[in-house]
Structures are given as structure tokens and as C-alpha cells.
PDB file of all heavy atoms in Angstrom:
ATOM      1  N   ASN A   1     -14.066 124.653  -0.170  1.00 94.00           N
ATOM      2  CA  ASN A   1     -13.033 124.208   0.775  1.00 94.00           C
ATOM      3  C   ASN A   1     -12.208 123.062   0.202  1.00 94.00           C
ATOM      4  O   ASN A   1     -10.986 123.009   0.384  1.00 94.00           O
ATOM      5  CB  ASN A   1     -13.673 123.781   2.100  1.00 94.00           C
ATOM      6  CG  ASN A   1     -14.201 124.958   2.897  1.00 94.00           C
ATOM      7  OD1 ASN A   1     -13.695 126.080   2.766  1.00 94.00           O
ATOM      8  ND2 ASN A   1     -15.213 124.733   3.720  1.00 94.00           N
ATOM      9  N   GLN A   2     -12.885 122.128  -0.479  1.00 94.00           N
ATOM     10  CA  GLN A   2     -12.165 121.014  -1.098  1.00 94.00           C
ATOM     11  C   GLN A   2     -11.217 121.501  -2.188  1.00 94.00           C
ATOM     12  O   GLN A   2     -10.099 121.013  -2.319  1.00 94.00           O
ATOM     13  CB  GLN A   2     -13.161 120.014  -1.687  1.00 94.00           C
ATOM     14  CG  GLN A   2     -13.928 119.204  -0.654  1.00 94.00           C
ATOM     15  CD  GLN A   2     -14.783 118.145  -1.315  1.00 94.00           C
ATOM     16  OE1 GLN A   2     -14.261 117.257  -1.988  1.00 94.00           O
ATOM     17  NE2 GLN A   2     -16.099 118.228  -1.145  1.00 94.00           N
ATOM     18  N   LEU A   3     -11.674 122.476  -2.951  1.00 95.00           N
ATOM     19  CA  LEU A   3     -10.833 123.032  -4.009  1.00 95.00           C
ATOM     20  C   LEU A   3      -9.585 123.688  -3.415  1.00 95.00           C
ATOM     21  O   LEU A   3      -8.462 123.486  -3.902  1.00 95.00           O
ATOM     22  CB  LEU A   3     -11.628 124.057  -4.823  1.00 95.00           C
ATOM     23  CG  LEU A   3     -12.730 123.504  -5.729  1.00 95.00           C
ATOM     24  CD1 LEU A   3     -13.581 124.643  -6.286  1.00 95.00           C
ATOM     25  CD2 LEU A   3     -12.128 122.688  -6.882  1.00 95.00           C
ATOM     26  N   LYS A   4      -9.773 124.452  -2.357  1.00 94.00           N
ATOM     27  CA  LYS A   4      -8.647 125.136  -1.714  1.00 94.00           C
ATOM     28  C   LYS A   4      -7.654 124.133  -1.148  1.00 94.00           C
ATOM     29  O   LYS A   4      -6.438 124.323  -1.268  1.00 94.00           O
ATOM     30  CB  LYS A   4      -9.158 126.062  -0.607  1.00 94.00           C
ATOM     31  CG  LYS A   4      -9.939 127.264  -1.117  1.00 94.00           C
ATOM     32  CD  LYS A   4     -10.504 128.073   0.047  1.00 94.00           C
ATOM     33  CE  LYS A   4     -11.357 129.235  -0.442  1.00 94.00           C
ATOM     34  NZ  LYS A   4     -11.960 129.995   0.687  1.00 94.00           N
ATOM     35  N   LYS A   5      -8.169 123.063  -0.530  1.00 93.00           N
ATOM     36  CA  LYS A   5      -7.291 122.047   0.052  1.00 93.00           C
ATOM     37  C   LYS A   5      -6.463 121.333  -1.012  1.00 93.00           C
ATOM     38  O   LYS A   5      -5.400 120.798  -0.719  1.00 93.00           O
ATOM     39  CB  LYS A   5      -8.121 121.028   0.836  1.00 93.00           C
ATOM     40  CG  LYS A   5      -8.684 121.558   2.143  1.00 93.00           C
ATOM     41  CD  LYS A   5      -9.524 120.508   2.844  1.00 93.00           C
ATOM     42  CE  LYS A   5     -10.107 121.053   4.143  1.00 93.00           C
ATOM     43  NZ  LYS A   5     -10.981 120.054   4.822  1.00 93.00           N
ATOM     44  N   ASN A   6      -6.975 121.308  -2.239  1.00 94.00           N
ATOM     45  CA  ASN A   6      -6.288 120.621  -3.324  1.00 94.00           C
ATOM     46  C   ASN A   6      -5.510 121.571  -4.241  1.00 94.00           C
ATOM     47  O   ASN A   6      -5.169 121.222  -5.368  1.00 94.00           O
ATOM     48  CB  ASN A   6      -7.296 119.814  -4.152  1.00 94.00           C
ATOM     49  CG  ASN A   6      -7.729 118.542  -3.449  1.00 94.00           C
ATOM     50  OD1 ASN A   6      -7.064 117.520  -3.530  1.00 94.00           O
ATOM     51  ND2 ASN A   6      -8.856 118.611  -2.738  1.00 94.00           N
ATOM     52  N   GLY A   7      -5.253 122.784  -3.744  1.00 93.00           N
ATOM     53  CA  GLY A   7      -4.386 123.711  -4.464  1.00 93.00           C
ATOM     54  C   GLY A   7      -5.051 124.602  -5.491  1.00 93.00           C
ATOM     55  O   GLY A   7      -4.367 125.266  -6.268  1.00 93.00           O
ATOM     56  N   PHE A   8      -6.401 124.634  -5.498  1.00 95.00           N
ATOM     57  CA  PHE A   8      -7.096 125.513  -6.447  1.00 95.00           C
ATOM     58  C   PHE A   8      -7.312 126.890  -5.822  1.00 95.00           C
ATOM     59  O   PHE A   8      -7.561 127.008  -4.619  1.00 95.00           O
ATOM     60  CB  PHE A   8      -8.445 124.911  -6.845  1.00 95.00           C
ATOM     61  CG  PHE A   8      -8.340 123.744  -7.791  1.00 95.00           C
ATOM     62  CD1 PHE A   8      -8.077 122.472  -7.310  1.00 95.00           C
ATOM     63  CD2 PHE A   8      -8.479 123.928  -9.154  1.00 95.00           C
ATOM     64  CE1 PHE A   8      -7.967 121.393  -8.166  1.00 95.00           C
ATOM     65  CE2 PHE A   8      -8.370 122.857 -10.026  1.00 95.00           C
ATOM     66  CZ  PHE A   8      -8.112 121.580  -9.526  1.00 95.00           C
ATOM     67  N   LYS A   9      -7.224 127.917  -6.656  1.00 94.00           N
ATOM     68  CA  LYS A   9      -7.458 129.287  -6.208  1.00 94.00           C
ATOM     69  C   LYS A   9      -8.415 129.974  -7.165  1.00 94.00           C
ATOM     70  O   LYS A   9      -8.454 129.666  -8.357  1.00 94.00           O
ATOM     71  CB  LYS A   9      -6.144 130.074  -6.146  1.00 94.00           C
ATOM     72  CG  LYS A   9      -5.175 129.561  -5.100  1.00 94.00           C
ATOM     73  CD  LYS A   9      -3.930 130.428  -5.077  1.00 94.00           C
ATOM     74  CE  LYS A   9      -2.946 129.949  -4.015  1.00 94.00           C
ATOM     75  NZ  LYS A   9      -1.712 130.779  -3.997  1.00 94.00           N
ATOM     76  N   TRP A  10      -9.184 130.920  -6.612  1.00 94.00           N
ATOM     77  CA  TRP A  10     -10.098 131.681  -7.459  1.00 94.00           C
ATOM     78  C   TRP A  10      -9.310 132.709  -8.248  1.00 94.00           C
ATOM     79  O   TRP A  10      -8.536 133.486  -7.692  1.00 94.00           O
ATOM     80  CB  TRP A  10     -11.160 132.374  -6.623  1.00 94.00           C
ATOM     81  CG  TRP A  10     -12.011 133.334  -7.412  1.00 94.00           C
ATOM     82  CD1 TRP A  10     -11.964 134.691  -7.367  1.00 94.00           C
ATOM     83  CD2 TRP A  10     -13.003 132.998  -8.389  1.00 94.00           C
ATOM     84  NE1 TRP A  10     -12.866 135.231  -8.243  1.00 94.00           N
ATOM     85  CE2 TRP A  10     -13.532 134.223  -8.892  1.00 94.00           C
ATOM     86  CE3 TRP A  10     -13.516 131.794  -8.881  1.00 94.00           C
ATOM     87  CZ2 TRP A  10     -14.521 134.263  -9.853  1.00 94.00           C
ATOM     88  CZ3 TRP A  10     -14.509 131.835  -9.847  1.00 94.00           C
ATOM     89  CH2 TRP A  10     -15.014 133.054 -10.322  1.00 94.00           C
ATOM     90  N   SER A  11      -9.474 132.714  -9.560  1.00 90.00           N
ATOM     91  CA  SER A  11      -8.802 133.679 -10.423  1.00 90.00           C
ATOM     92  C   SER A  11      -9.784 134.782 -10.789  1.00 90.00           C
ATOM     93  O   SER A  11     -10.761 134.548 -11.509  1.00 90.00           O
ATOM     94  CB  SER A  11      -8.288 132.987 -11.699  1.00 90.00           C
ATOM     95  OG  SER A  11      -7.854 133.952 -12.632  1.00 90.00           O
ATOM     96  N   ARG A  12      -9.513 135.964 -10.287  1.00 86.00           N
ATOM     97  CA  ARG A  12     -10.369 137.111 -10.594  1.00 86.00           C
ATOM     98  C   ARG A  12     -10.275 137.472 -12.074  1.00 86.00           C
ATOM     99  O   ARG A  12     -11.264 137.844 -12.700  1.00 86.00           O
ATOM    100  CB  ARG A  12      -9.959 138.312  -9.736  1.00 86.00           C
ATOM    101  CG  ARG A  12     -10.870 139.515  -9.922  1.00 86.00           C
ATOM    102  CD  ARG A  12     -10.348 140.726  -9.176  1.00 86.00           C
ATOM    103  NE  ARG A  12     -10.191 140.494  -7.767  1.00 86.00           N
ATOM    104  CZ  ARG A  12      -9.751 141.424  -6.904  1.00 86.00           C
ATOM    105  NH1 ARG A  12      -9.443 142.634  -7.348  1.00 86.00           N
ATOM    106  NH2 ARG A  12      -9.616 141.153  -5.628  1.00 86.00           N
ATOM    107  N   CYS A  13      -9.072 137.330 -12.644  1.00 82.00           N
ATOM    108  CA  CYS A  13      -8.878 137.696 -14.051  1.00 82.00           C
ATOM    109  C   CYS A  13      -9.648 136.770 -14.988  1.00 82.00           C
ATOM    110  O   CYS A  13     -10.287 137.219 -15.937  1.00 82.00           O
ATOM    111  CB  CYS A  13      -7.386 137.654 -14.399  1.00 82.00           C
ATOM    112  SG  CYS A  13      -6.394 138.860 -13.494  1.00 82.00           S
ATOM    113  N   ASN A  14      -9.577 135.449 -14.721  1.00 86.00           N
ATOM    114  CA  ASN A  14     -10.217 134.470 -15.604  1.00 86.00           C
ATOM    115  C   ASN A  14     -11.603 134.053 -15.139  1.00 86.00           C
ATOM    116  O   ASN A  14     -12.288 133.299 -15.842  1.00 86.00           O
ATOM    117  CB  ASN A  14      -9.327 133.229 -15.735  1.00 86.00           C
ATOM    118  CG  ASN A  14      -7.989 133.535 -16.362  1.00 86.00           C
ATOM    119  OD1 ASN A  14      -7.908 134.265 -17.345  1.00 86.00           O
ATOM    120  ND2 ASN A  14      -6.920 132.995 -15.798  1.00 86.00           N
ATOM    121  N   GLU A  15     -11.987 134.517 -13.917  1.00 92.00           N
ATOM    122  CA  GLU A  15     -13.301 134.204 -13.348  1.00 92.00           C
ATOM    123  C   GLU A  15     -13.549 132.696 -13.307  1.00 92.00           C
ATOM    124  O   GLU A  15     -14.564 132.190 -13.800  1.00 92.00           O
ATOM    125  CB  GLU A  15     -14.413 134.911 -14.135  1.00 92.00           C
ATOM    126  CG  GLU A  15     -14.322 136.431 -14.048  1.00 92.00           C
ATOM    127  CD  GLU A  15     -15.498 137.123 -14.715  1.00 92.00           C
ATOM    128  OE1 GLU A  15     -16.206 136.469 -15.506  1.00 92.00           O
ATOM    129  OE2 GLU A  15     -15.715 138.318 -14.430  1.00 92.00           O
ATOM    130  N   CYS A  16     -12.584 132.003 -12.735  1.00 94.00           N
ATOM    131  CA  CYS A  16     -12.709 130.555 -12.586  1.00 94.00           C
ATOM    132  C   CYS A  16     -11.805 130.097 -11.450  1.00 94.00           C
ATOM    133  O   CYS A  16     -10.987 130.858 -10.943  1.00 94.00           O
ATOM    134  CB  CYS A  16     -12.301 129.847 -13.887  1.00 94.00           C
ATOM    135  SG  CYS A  16     -10.536 130.030 -14.277  1.00 94.00           S
ATOM    136  N   TRP A  17     -12.009 128.827 -11.021  1.00 96.00           N
ATOM    137  CA  TRP A  17     -11.103 128.213 -10.061  1.00 96.00           C
ATOM    138  C   TRP A  17     -10.010 127.534 -10.872  1.00 96.00           C
ATOM    139  O   TRP A  17     -10.294 126.829 -11.841  1.00 96.00           O
ATOM    140  CB  TRP A  17     -11.841 127.197  -9.196  1.00 96.00           C
ATOM    141  CG  TRP A  17     -12.744 127.845  -8.188  1.00 96.00           C
ATOM    142  CD1 TRP A  17     -14.033 128.252  -8.367  1.00 96.00           C
ATOM    143  CD2 TRP A  17     -12.403 128.178  -6.839  1.00 96.00           C
ATOM    144  NE1 TRP A  17     -14.528 128.821  -7.217  1.00 96.00           N
ATOM    145  CE2 TRP A  17     -13.543 128.790  -6.256  1.00 96.00           C
ATOM    146  CE3 TRP A  17     -11.261 128.019  -6.057  1.00 96.00           C
ATOM    147  CZ2 TRP A  17     -13.569 129.229  -4.941  1.00 96.00           C
ATOM    148  CZ3 TRP A  17     -11.277 128.460  -4.745  1.00 96.00           C
ATOM    149  CH2 TRP A  17     -12.420 129.064  -4.194  1.00 96.00           C
ATOM    150  N   GLN A  18      -8.760 127.728 -10.501  1.00 94.00           N
ATOM    151  CA  GLN A  18      -7.688 127.143 -11.286  1.00 94.00           C
ATOM    152  C   GLN A  18      -6.501 126.710 -10.436  1.00 94.00           C
ATOM    153  O   GLN A  18      -6.325 127.158  -9.303  1.00 94.00           O
ATOM    154  CB  GLN A  18      -7.219 128.122 -12.367  1.00 94.00           C
ATOM    155  CG  GLN A  18      -6.586 129.398 -11.842  1.00 94.00           C
ATOM    156  CD  GLN A  18      -6.140 130.313 -12.974  1.00 94.00           C
ATOM    157  OE1 GLN A  18      -6.660 130.277 -14.093  1.00 94.00           O
ATOM    158  NE2 GLN A  18      -5.144 131.152 -12.713  1.00 94.00           N
ATOM    159  N   SER A  19      -5.712 125.803 -11.005  1.00 93.00           N
ATOM    160  CA  SER A  19      -4.492 125.319 -10.363  1.00 93.00           C
ATOM    161  C   SER A  19      -3.494 125.015 -11.468  1.00 93.00           C
ATOM    162  O   SER A  19      -3.800 125.151 -12.656  1.00 93.00           O
ATOM    163  CB  SER A  19      -4.779 124.053  -9.548  1.00 93.00           C
ATOM    164  OG  SER A  19      -5.111 122.982 -10.425  1.00 93.00           O
ATOM    165  N   TYR A  20      -2.299 124.594 -11.073  1.00 90.00           N
ATOM    166  CA  TYR A  20      -1.326 124.199 -12.080  1.00 90.00           C
ATOM    167  C   TYR A  20      -1.818 122.952 -12.797  1.00 90.00           C
ATOM    168  O   TYR A  20      -2.505 122.112 -12.212  1.00 90.00           O
ATOM    169  CB  TYR A  20       0.036 123.942 -11.447  1.00 90.00           C
ATOM    170  CG  TYR A  20       0.755 125.214 -11.043  1.00 90.00           C
ATOM    171  CD1 TYR A  20       0.948 125.531  -9.702  1.00 90.00           C
ATOM    172  CD2 TYR A  20       1.230 126.094 -12.008  1.00 90.00           C
ATOM    173  CE1 TYR A  20       1.594 126.708  -9.335  1.00 90.00           C
ATOM    174  CE2 TYR A  20       1.879 127.269 -11.653  1.00 90.00           C
ATOM    175  CZ  TYR A  20       2.058 127.565 -10.319  1.00 90.00           C
ATOM    176  OH  TYR A  20       2.685 128.732  -9.963  1.00 90.00           O
ATOM    177  N   LEU A  21      -1.466 122.821 -14.035  1.00 88.00           N
ATOM    178  CA  LEU A  21      -1.939 121.717 -14.864  1.00 88.00           C
ATOM    179  C   LEU A  21      -1.026 120.501 -14.696  1.00 88.00           C
ATOM    180  O   LEU A  21       0.103 120.492 -15.166  1.00 88.00           O
ATOM    181  CB  LEU A  21      -1.973 122.152 -16.336  1.00 88.00           C
ATOM    182  CG  LEU A  21      -2.480 121.123 -17.354  1.00 88.00           C
ATOM    183  CD1 LEU A  21      -3.878 120.651 -16.994  1.00 88.00           C
ATOM    184  CD2 LEU A  21      -2.477 121.730 -18.750  1.00 88.00           C
ATOM    185  N   ASN A  22      -1.529 119.509 -13.973  1.00 89.00           N
ATOM    186  CA  ASN A  22      -0.819 118.238 -13.834  1.00 89.00           C
ATOM    187  C   ASN A  22      -1.831 117.131 -13.555  1.00 89.00           C
ATOM    188  O   ASN A  22      -3.006 117.395 -13.284  1.00 89.00           O
ATOM    189  CB  ASN A  22       0.247 118.302 -12.724  1.00 89.00           C
ATOM    190  CG  ASN A  22      -0.320 118.727 -11.381  1.00 89.00           C
ATOM    191  OD1 ASN A  22      -1.311 118.174 -10.904  1.00 89.00           O
ATOM    192  ND2 ASN A  22       0.300 119.738 -10.763  1.00 89.00           N
ATOM    193  N   HIS A  23      -1.389 115.878 -13.643  1.00 91.00           N
ATOM    194  CA  HIS A  23      -2.301 114.740 -13.510  1.00 91.00           C
ATOM    195  C   HIS A  23      -2.966 114.695 -12.130  1.00 91.00           C
ATOM    196  O   HIS A  23      -4.146 114.350 -12.015  1.00 91.00           O
ATOM    197  CB  HIS A  23      -1.555 113.429 -13.771  1.00 91.00           C
ATOM    198  CG  HIS A  23      -1.127 113.259 -15.203  1.00 91.00           C
ATOM    199  ND1 HIS A  23      -2.026 113.170 -16.243  1.00 91.00           N
ATOM    200  CD2 HIS A  23       0.118 113.185 -15.768  1.00 91.00           C
ATOM    201  CE1 HIS A  23      -1.383 113.032 -17.381  1.00 91.00           C
ATOM    202  NE2 HIS A  23      -0.069 113.050 -17.128  1.00 91.00           N
ATOM    203  N   ARG A  24      -2.214 115.037 -11.092  1.00 92.00           N
ATOM    204  CA  ARG A  24      -2.783 114.993  -9.743  1.00 92.00           C
ATOM    205  C   ARG A  24      -3.945 115.959  -9.598  1.00 92.00           C
ATOM    206  O   ARG A  24      -4.999 115.614  -9.055  1.00 92.00           O
ATOM    207  CB  ARG A  24      -1.693 115.317  -8.713  1.00 92.00           C
ATOM    208  CG  ARG A  24      -2.182 115.203  -7.258  1.00 92.00           C
ATOM    209  CD  ARG A  24      -1.062 115.542  -6.299  1.00 92.00           C
ATOM    210  NE  ARG A  24      -0.697 116.944  -6.394  1.00 92.00           N
ATOM    211  CZ  ARG A  24      -1.356 117.926  -5.782  1.00 92.00           C
ATOM    212  NH1 ARG A  24      -2.432 117.660  -5.049  1.00 92.00           N
ATOM    213  NH2 ARG A  24      -0.963 119.173  -5.904  1.00 92.00           N
ATOM    214  N   ASN A  25      -3.770 117.192 -10.084  1.00 93.00           N
ATOM    215  CA  ASN A  25      -4.838 118.182  -9.977  1.00 93.00           C
ATOM    216  C   ASN A  25      -6.041 117.839 -10.861  1.00 93.00           C
ATOM    217  O   ASN A  25      -7.185 118.117 -10.499  1.00 93.00           O
ATOM    218  CB  ASN A  25      -4.300 119.573 -10.334  1.00 93.00           C
ATOM    219  CG  ASN A  25      -3.391 120.131  -9.255  1.00 93.00           C
ATOM    220  OD1 ASN A  25      -3.444 119.699  -8.107  1.00 93.00           O
ATOM    221  ND2 ASN A  25      -2.550 121.077  -9.619  1.00 93.00           N
ATOM    222  N   ILE A  26      -5.770 117.234 -12.023  1.00 94.00           N
ATOM    223  CA  ILE A  26      -6.874 116.812 -12.891  1.00 94.00           C
ATOM    224  C   ILE A  26      -7.715 115.737 -12.201  1.00 94.00           C
ATOM    225  O   ILE A  26      -8.949 115.803 -12.182  1.00 94.00           O
ATOM    226  CB  ILE A  26      -6.336 116.281 -14.238  1.00 94.00           C
ATOM    227  CG1 ILE A  26      -5.727 117.425 -15.057  1.00 94.00           C
ATOM    228  CG2 ILE A  26      -7.456 115.610 -15.049  1.00 94.00           C
ATOM    229  CD1 ILE A  26      -5.021 116.979 -16.323  1.00 94.00           C
TER     230      ILE A  26
END
């Protein structure tokens, strides 16, 4: 839930949680 609230999504292709690469998300 925390990941989703912070813009992360599950990637079926890469089998990981991911978001756009920027300082805020890091």
C-alpha cells in the first residue's frame, strides 16, 4: 500500500515494483 501511494506499480514484465527514476521516488 505504501508503494502504491508513492507511485510504484508492479511490473509483470520485470517482476519488480517500479516507478519513474527521480530523487523523490528514491
Side-chain angles (χ1 to χ4, degrees):
N1 289 333
Q2 289 186 62
L3 289 170
K4 291 176 183 178
K5 288 178 181 178
N6 284 276
F8 286 83
K9 294 182 179 179
W10 172 253
S11 170
R12 184 186 302 180
C13 296
N14 298 316
E15 296 186 343
C16 67
W17 287 86
Q18 65 180 25
S19 68
Y20 286 111
L21 181 57
N22 56 51
H23 291 297
R24 184 180 67 82
N25 288 339
I26 291 173

